[in-house]
Amino acid sequence: MKNVSRRKFIIGASAGAVAIGAGVGVPAVVIGQNQAQKAAKFAATLERPLTLYLRDASKGEMVLLADDKQVIIHDSDLANRLLNAAQ
């Protein structure tokens, strides 16, 4: 199983949504658009939605399910943001 970075997970889960903060230069916008296009193509190949569940919040351990693939992610910041969003 290959590991997924937080950036790839967020891009894949967003499937095309690109957030651009104030002061971002043109090269960053182009990179973001290329990544969003790749994410949209990947999302189009999925037979089912991406699913993420938080296995252990204290360790920041999450499981991402995409069709028949399962990827374990360790990211405390993302786990905390998900918990805060769920409240």
Side-chain angles (χ1 to χ4, degrees), residues 51-67:
T51 304
L52 175 89
Y53 70 89
L54 186 55
R55 183 184 287 177
D56 187 341
S58 65
K59 294 179 183 177
E61 186 175 286
M62 296 163 277
V63 178
L64 176 64
L65 305 170
D67 288 336

Side-chain angles (χ1 to χ4, degrees), residues 25-86:
V26 173
V29 173
V30 172
I31 291 169
Q33 289 174 347
N34 290 338
Q35 291 172 337
Q37 289 170 351
K38 288 179 185 178
K41 287 179 184 178
F42 171 71
T45 67
L46 295 174
E47 295 177 14
R48 289 172 269 173
L50 286 172
T51 304
L52 175 89
Y53 70 89
L54 186 55
R55 183 184 287 177
D56 187 341
S58 65
K59 294 179 183 177
E61 186 175 286
M62 296 163 277
V63 178
L64 176 64
L65 305 170
D67 288 336
D68 61 346
K69 298 174 189 162
Q70 176 179 317
V71 180
I72 297 174
I73 302 166
H74 293 90
D75 189 327
S76 295
D77 288 340
L78 180 57
N80 287 332
R81 287 188 290 151
L82 290 169
L83 288 171
N84 288 333

